[in-house]
Amino acid sequence: MTAGTAGTAVTAEAPGTDAADAAAQAAREAVFDAAVAADERIEPRDWMPEAYRASLVRQIAQHAHSEIIGMQPEANWITRAPSLRRKAILMAKVQDEAGHGLYLYSAAETLGVSRDELLDKLHSGRQKYSSIFNYPTLTWADVGAIGWLVDGAAITNQVPLCRCSYGPYARAMVRVCKEESFHQRQGYEALLALSRGTEAQHAMAQDAVDRWWWPSLMMFGPPDDVSTHSEQAMAWKIKRHSNDELRQRFVDIAAPQAEALGLTLPDPDLKWNEERGHYDFGPIDWDEFWDVLKGNGPCNDQRITKRRQAHEDGAWVREAAAAYARKHTGQHGEAQA
Amino acid sequence: MTTTHTTDPGDTTGTTPAAPAADPAVTAAALALGDDALVLAQRLGEWAGSAPVLEEEVALANIALDLLGQARVLLSLAGDEDELAFLREERAFRNVQLVEQPNGDFAHTIARQLYFSTYQRLLYAALADGDGPLAGLAGKAVKEVAYHQDHAEHWTLRLGDGTDESHRRMQTACDALWRYTGELFQPLDGLGLDTTTLEAAWLDSVTAVLTRAGLTVPTGPRTGAWRAGAGRQGLHTEHFGRMLAEMQHLHRSHPGATW
């Protein structure tokens, strides 16, 4: 975007008077609006409305937190994975999630916040993470169901973000989406192996899909008529599609995949609607959604306690790294904490 | 460091053909080294989600994945990787006792990594230089273990020469694990290499790192109450059975299933 240079010129024009300030402000906003309208990318040095900045910080931070908390339900099965191949795939996936957390915190930092600040907000409950990770992984098949459904829903949400108006976020999403698609295929393939395996394995896969289906649909957020941030986010081209649109897109993709897997989805109302050219599906239990969001899901306490614990247990390590870096500045540049 | 997995990490076909080796001594050696890598990978896998910084989530998982990859190639030389990993009991595992030691705090994990990766780096470098049956595998693995050793060394320096607390913890960890290091150099048939010859270089390398970190090189015995070499004969510490119970439970619950 070109707003940066234009914005600077305007600011320099007439400092001091209220009228001139207001005019400068209006000019900056006009440049920003024009850039968004022209599908140009907003970059860190460009002027942007404070509300746009705050909205992005909130969304990117939540996204980063989701990657970090999202490691837990899957890491729960690393030590118990049933074959060495599956163990390697799962370890690689959890490692990728930590990497995604890193890219996303970096993207958030371009907006003038620090990773420490954001982690502090996560630990104190002032910032949220995706409600999906408050559900427990009770069997090995849950790892497959998370890959297929949860990553599938995440990709549906995130692919449009690759065209988001804020450059650093859009670029992070390009990289994240590539890896997520890979994970999703692996999850699908793991479920397929179970579905085609022994009777017990098939039952395990079905049970997992039964438990993860509705929470996955909730990942798209509240229905459009009650979604508080949606309208503004779409005007700013942070979001490109409404929650309900994306949810429908996901159902349309997942329903035939379930059939190919030889598994059923736990929705008696799910059926193809010729007229709409979409699958119809049953009502979502929004009470459960809001309840989980408020902290009353099955694993909310467990997840945040474990995250806080890891952070507290690691404090002495981070302090050591910082002390070492101070002592050896110039000798070894590698301050890690 | 961040690694992007553009290929299936479950795929080992790019490394070494996994045909069981004919020579029983080679098979036994591959099994011993494979068990070392498998068991340490399992321990490092326990860290996922609990590391002190996000960068270490990535690094520890990366090291665990490298080790798991090595284990899969080595176990495949000795037989079926999953049968060997999931259906042997404790007394049939041939790993050294060092790798089965619990993670403890971050300093214990780093001390274990320093001792083990220094050994692995020397071992694989020597194997790669030779023309023995494991030379090909070692040639690839030596690049990985050089990174592991570098990582452990940097953290040993940071912790040893960081704060008073980190210094104390690092010294405690180095002391506690010292008794498990003698076993690393017990003779192992089938490698085409006298492992006892690695010991002097190992001591030099570890001494240099500990000294630079301001730590005292432990002075205690380098073997425990068991005679040295116990792990290689299937005599393990009490921690190991529990670790295996967790690792094997699901696989054993579904006999004959494929995953």
Side-chain angles (χ1 to χ4, degrees):
Chain A
M1 150 183 188
T2 52
T5 41
T8 319
V10 172
T11 326
E13 206 170 83
T17 69
D18 287 352
D21 283 352
Q25 175 74 7
R28 282 193 295 260
E29 272 171 26
V31 172
F32 173 85
D33 290 344
V36 169
D39 272 338
E40 283 173 35
R41 288 280 163 81
I42 309 298
E43 297 298 339
R45 287 170 197 278
D46 293 333
W47 182 88
M48 61 188 86
E50 273 317 299
Y52 175 84
R53 185 184 299 275
S55 177
L56 273 168
V57 167
R58 184 184 56 80
Q59 184 173 339
I60 301 173
Q62 274 185 207
H63 195 158
H65 299 334
S66 301
E67 296 283 356
I68 301 313
I69 298 285
M71 294 168 70
Q72 289 184 34
E74 295 179 289
N76 185 33
W77 282 91
I78 285 179
T79 57
R80 295 178 288 170
S83 75
L84 296 187
R85 175 168 175 265
R86 294 289 177 201
K87 191 191 288 286
I89 289 171
L90 184 56
M91 268 185 186
K93 179 178 181 188
V94 174
Q95 183 198 24
D96 281 348
E97 280 156 7
H100 296 172
L102 280 170
Y103 316 148
L104 287 161
Y105 285 122
S106 300
E109 285 184 329
T110 64
L111 291 160
V113 288
S114 73
R115 194 210 298 187
D116 286 349
E117 223 177 302
L118 298 179
L119 279 174
D120 198 47
K121 285 187 175 159
L122 168 66
H123 297 152
S124 59
R126 281 175 293 154
Q127 279 180 345
K128 298 199 181 308
Y129 55 87
S130 176
S131 62
I132 192 83
F133 301 119
N134 292 313
Y135 290 87
T137 47
L138 301 178
T139 72
W140 167 252
D142 290 34
V143 171
I146 288 180
W148 174 44
L149 294 173
V150 175
D151 292 344
I155 293 163
T156 308
N157 257 329
Q158 290 168 12
V159 164
L161 288 174
C162 298
R163 293 185 295 123
C164 150
S165 58
Y166 188 58
Y169 192 26
R171 288 188 289 275
M173 292 323 301
V174 170
R175 205 165 157 185
V176 168
C177 282
K178 261 186 219 161
E179 293 176 0
E180 293 288 6
S181 311
F182 188 57
H183 299 160
Q184 200 223 359
R185 277 206 306 282
Q186 289 171 329
Y188 181 89
E189 195 256 326
L191 269 190
L192 190 65
L194 293 175
S195 178
R196 292 182 177 169
T198 65
E199 211 173 301
Q201 285 177 304
H202 182 91
M204 193 193 276
Q206 183 61 60
D207 169 62
V209 168
D210 288 347
R211 283 180 289 109
W212 287 93
W213 173 248
W214 290 110
S216 301
L217 293 193
M218 295 177 197
M219 284 174 71
F220 295 93
D224 292 347
D225 49 0
V226 294
S227 177
T228 44
H229 302 293
S230 275
E231 208 173 313
Q232 183 61 70
M234 284 175 76
W236 279 329
K237 295 191 181 168
I238 295 174
K239 272 185 87 151
R240 296 280 178 159
H241 310 278
S242 79
N243 294 351
D244 287 333
E245 262 173 70
L246 291 169
R247 189 168 10 245
Q248 179 71 60
R249 188 179 292 182
F250 174 69
V251 172
D252 289 347
I253 293 168
Q257 285 179 342
E259 225 165 289
L261 277 170
L263 298 170
T264 59
L265 294 172
D267 180 358
D269 297 331
L270 182 78
K271 61 169 183 297
W272 177 252
N273 181 328
E274 194 65 57
E275 212 169 297
R276 291 201 309 126
H278 291 292
Y279 279 88
D280 291 335
F281 55 98
I284 288 170
D285 181 351
W286 292 112
D287 289 343
E288 177 180 318
F289 173 78
W290 294 115
D291 219 28
V292 174
L293 217 62
K294 265 183 268 168
N296 302 321
C299 297
N300 297 58
D301 287 344
Q302 179 188 326
R303 298 287 185 244
I304 209 71
T305 301
K306 175 158 177 158
R307 179 86 272 289
R308 264 191 224 130
Q309 190 69 48
H311 191 73
E312 282 164 23
D313 289 350
W316 70 271
V317 178
R318 296 189 299 275
E319 282 158 18
Y324 181 85
R326 278 195 301 275
K327 285 186 213 174
H328 295 268
T329 313
Q331 292 178 49
H332 317 275
E334 71 284 90
Q336 184 129 6
Chain B
M1 61 173 282
T2 300
T3 310
T4 303
H5 301 284
T6 46
T7 55
D8 185 342
D11 180 13
T12 55
T13 50
T15 49
T16 302
D23 182 343
V26 175
T27 304
L31 192 64
L33 299 187
D35 284 351
D36 285 350
L38 173 64
V39 169
L40 188 53
Q42 178 77 4
R43 279 293 184 222
L44 291 175
E46 294 170 10
W47 268 105
S50 303
V53 283
L54 215 38
E55 285 80 356
E56 281 308 295
E57 293 286 358
V58 177
L60 294 174
N62 201 57
I63 294 168
L65 263 172
D66 286 344
L67 289 166
L68 188 54
Q70 293 166 16
R72 296 184 63 198
V73 175
L74 286 159
L75 294 182
S76 297
L77 288 172
D80 177 89
E81 60 175 32
D82 284 338
E83 263 176 47
L84 288 168
F86 295 103
L87 299 175
R88 270 182 302 159
E89 294 195 354
E90 191 181 336
R91 292 281 281 107
F93 273 80
R94 292 291 176 261
N95 55 283
V96 291
Q97 292 183 348
L98 176 65
V99 294
E100 75 203 33
Q101 296 312 304
N103 288 336
D105 65 6
F106 190 68
H108 278 77
T109 291
I110 291 301
R112 191 181 61 199
Q113 284 303 118
L114 179 72
Y115 292 164
F116 186 73
S117 59
T118 303
Y119 153 76
Q120 254 197 331
R121 188 176 187 170
L122 291 165
L123 174 71
Y124 284 155
L127 287 174
D129 280 349
D131 53 4
L134 302 180
L137 153 83
K140 175 178 184 273
V142 76
K143 291 176 206 131
E144 297 169 350
V145 299
Y147 160 68
H148 304 173
Q149 202 254 344
D150 197 53
H151 172 264
E153 184 177 322
H154 279 106
W155 272 112
T156 303
L157 294 175
R158 286 190 196 102
L159 299 182
D161 193 16
T163 63
D164 289 347
E165 185 185 7
S166 71
H167 177 88
R168 180 184 57 75
R169 285 180 185 253
M170 195 62 212
Q171 187 67 58
T172 302
C174 288
D175 292 346
L177 293 168
W178 190 246
R179 60 184 294 210
Y180 300 105
T181 58
E183 190 181 1
L184 298 170
F185 307 100
Q186 291 304 301
L188 192 55
D189 290 344
L191 286 180
L193 174 78
D194 179 2
T195 48
T196 58
T197 61
L198 304 174
E199 187 159 12
W202 182 90
L203 260 177
D204 282 351
S205 174
V206 167
T207 299
V209 176
L210 295 185
T211 307
R212 264 182 73 201
L215 295 160
T216 308
V217 178
T219 50
R222 298 197 30 233
T223 56
W226 290 105
R227 65 194 179 282
R232 292 275 185 250
Q233 290 157 46
L235 297 171
H236 295 279
T237 55
E238 284 186 352
H239 311 292
F240 188 53
R242 284 176 189 278
M243 197 197 93
L244 276 192
E246 182 175 337
M247 185 172 94
Q248 297 182 337
H249 165 261
L250 177 59
H251 186 97
R252 284 182 181 272
S253 301
H254 296 263
T258 49
W259 301 92

